[in-house]
Amino acid sequence: MRPVVIGAGPAGLAAAWALCRAGQRPLVLEAQAGPGGLAGSFDLDGFRADYGPHRLHRAASPEVLDLYTAALGGALRERARSGVVHLGGRKLPYPLSLAGLLRGLGLGGAARHGLSALAAQGAKPAGNHFAGEAARRLGRHAARVLYEPAARKVWGVDPTELDVALGAARVQKGSLGAVLRAALSKGKGGGRSFFYPQRGAGDLAEGLADRIRAAGGEIRCATPVEGLVLAGDRVVGVRAAGTSIESDAVVATAPLPLLCSWTGREAAAAGLSYRSLVLLYLTLGIDRGSAHDVHYFADAAIVANRLFEMKGFSGGAGPAGRTLIGFDIPCTVGDAIWTASAEALAARVRPALERAGMGQAPVLGQVAHRIASAYPIYRKGYGPVRDGALDALAEVEGLYPAGRHALYVHDNVHHACAVGLAAGAAAAARRGARSWRAAQGPFLHAQIED
């Protein structure tokens, strides 16, 4: 029986590629019309648009960089980052620079942040939660004006209800010294550059899909999986499109609670949930909206988490006289954001456009995409629940959970590719489920690269 991979995002495709390299011919089942998942691309108004501002970070392992080369050949470009963080009316460069911090915060503001961070090193702020960890790393002031409001917006809960592990994953700089080192770094250090496919982030998935097919694998898109076929505690197949497909090795990137449900272990994942996202795209009647590729908005006055411009990633590719702007808008399925029309959302993001200096640009069109499961919500105490759910799945032979949703982890594309390669290798060797569970450890604590 050939192996089956559920999901054609970066993790699923990397797993399929590992299976192909092992001489097997996997079948990849993808619910959407094309490969890529949240790291895919689509065509809109003459532009190649990504599902969010994706980067291929330089922090990728050599094995993952080799995967990029296999998928993209020479169609991989290096780009300089040029983001900006909006703190109310202030603007800070991202990546950090010392001059930019002083310009954005002013001497008084910079001193306040610095003294707060120093105080936190001497007398550690209390709190076994995200807010406490952010304060311990960069001071109570930075936590209060930046990290706490951003957390409320992105995850939809109070920062004191979020697990301390999220602080370790999301607050990249662990001290004032780390901030200063990053601000003073030159060249390509400090995340100042990244790799980007020539035609869009989705080229990685499409290139991998082409190579998987060329190696004898099969990819069926628009084929949602309906469940697993079990014989006792062993996977013997997958149900999709009303039929059963025999398989003794299934790499699954579906959400962890869904996998537990498919295996009759729903209770193991009780309490694990995901934050939803609406991606809104506006075509503006200007050639370029900003010198920055991404604008970050921490405060609650702006409904969007980020504003990104596709020309900032593509090196200016796209129709002259127009630009495509995207917005990440966190939400919950069924709430006022989730159910709003694209036109209504365009009105809601007007303050973000104004802060970014694009308020006067004519809007030529708007399109919204809705993603039900975007970010795992790291509520306090989630760790033992996640571990218990993964332990429960490890009772099912032939099942190899992998990727952001299945492992319930915040990650970047390179993390997803790394775990996919490892899961594919484990499935190719038909390693035991408990062996794969033991190998998951390094992938459950990813350091996020923003």
Side-chain angles (χ1 to χ4, degrees):
M1 290 185 283
R2 64 176 170 174
V4 169
V5 176
I6 300 174
L13 291 172
W17 179 241
L19 285 158
C20 288
R21 290 192 306 180
Q24 301 183 30
R25 297 183 175 184
L27 169 63
V28 182
L29 302 174
E30 168 56 44
Q32 302 304 314
L38 294 181
S41 298
F42 62 98
D43 295 320
L44 178 63
D45 289 345
F47 292 92
R48 190 70 169 155
D50 298 340
Y51 291 106
H54 292 291
R55 299 180 176 89
L56 303 182
H57 293 284
R58 301 179 66 87
S61 68
E63 185 181 29
V64 171
L65 291 174
D66 287 345
L67 176 75
Y68 294 166
T69 301
L72 296 162
L76 191 62
R77 302 289 182 260
E78 188 170 2
R79 303 286 187 211
R81 294 194 64 171
S82 180
V84 60
V85 179
H86 294 259
L87 291 178
R90 297 184 180 276
K91 298 179 182 180
L92 306 179
Y94 196 84
L96 303 173
S97 73
L98 187 57
L101 286 173
L102 291 173
R103 280 197 305 270
L105 295 173
L107 265 175
R112 186 174 184 184
H113 276 277
L115 290 172
S116 177
L118 285 173
Q121 298 304 302
K124 297 290 187 184
N128 189 32
H129 44 61
F130 174 87
E133 181 64 14
R136 284 188 290 274
R137 286 172 171 252
L138 294 179
R140 288 188 176 88
H141 187 59
R144 185 170 57 252
V145 302
L146 175 59
Y147 290 103
E148 291 180 20
R152 287 189 187 92
K153 180 187 297 186
V154 174
W155 287 284
V157 299
D158 191 271
T160 60
E161 297 176 22
L162 292 168
D163 200 90
V164 67
L166 183 62
R170 299 293 305 190
V171 185
Q172 295 179 353
K173 307 299 183 289
S175 66
L176 176 61
V179 170
L180 292 175
R181 285 192 296 274
L184 292 169
S185 67
K186 302 293 183 183
K188 298 173 182 177
R192 297 183 183 280
S193 67
F194 61 97
F195 298 115
Y196 188 76
Q198 185 172 339
R199 292 187 58 254
D203 271 11
L204 173 62
E206 290 164 14
L208 268 178
D210 288 344
R211 283 151 183 80
I212 290 164
R213 294 186 184 103
E218 182 183 355
I219 298 175
R220 296 182 193 172
C221 294
T223 308
V225 171
E226 298 149 0
L228 299 171
V229 182
L230 302 179
D233 286 333
R234 176 172 292 278
V235 170
V236 295
V238 172
R239 293 196 306 273
T243 63
S244 293
I245 302 165
E246 290 187 355
S247 179
D248 61 346
V250 176
V251 178
T253 66
L256 181 55
L258 184 59
L259 290 178
C260 287
S261 174
W262 284 351
T263 60
R265 293 160 170 79
E266 295 94 333
L272 300 181
S273 60
Y274 296 81
R275 185 68 160 152
S276 305
L277 191 67
V278 173
L279 292 170
L280 176 69
Y281 299 86
L282 301 183
T283 304
L284 303 183
I286 52 176
D287 189 67
R288 186 70 186 267
S290 170
H292 302 289
D293 50 16
V294 179
H295 294 252
Y296 301 89
F297 304 99
D299 57 282
I302 304 293
V303 69
N305 174 40
R306 295 180 291 193
L307 174 161
F308 55 97
E309 184 169 9
M310 291 314 308
K311 282 187 173 181
F313 286 81
S314 67
R322 286 183 287 162
T323 193
L324 185 66
I325 305 296
F327 300 84
D328 284 6
I329 311 177
C331 60
T332 300
V333 171
D335 70 10
I337 294 293
W338 181 263
T339 57
S341 67
E343 292 77 10
L345 291 171
R348 294 286 299 271
V349 300
R350 172 62 58 179
L353 282 176
E354 291 171 352
R355 288 239 194 126
M358 307 178 207
Q360 301 305 310
V363 177
L364 306 181
Q366 54 269 317
V367 171
H369 290 272
R370 292 168 175 83
I371 300 166
S373 299
Y375 305 120
I377 302 177
Y378 278 13
R379 287 187 172 88
K380 286 181 67 174
Y382 85 96
V385 179
R386 177 184 67 180
D387 290 345
L390 291 172
D391 289 343
L393 293 184
E395 299 170 356
V396 182
E397 291 299 332
L399 180 61
Y400 303 88
R404 168 184 288 192
H405 295 316
L407 297 185
Y408 202 79
V409 64
H410 289 273
D411 63 3
N412 299 116
V413 171
H414 62 282
H415 299 124
C417 290
V419 72
L421 289 171
R430 301 305 194 266
R431 287 172 55 188
R434 287 182 176 82
S435 173
W436 171 238
R437 174 69 182 97
Q440 293 165 11
F443 304 112
L444 298 179
H445 306 284
Q447 178 62 57
I448 299 299
E449 303 283 337
D450 269 327

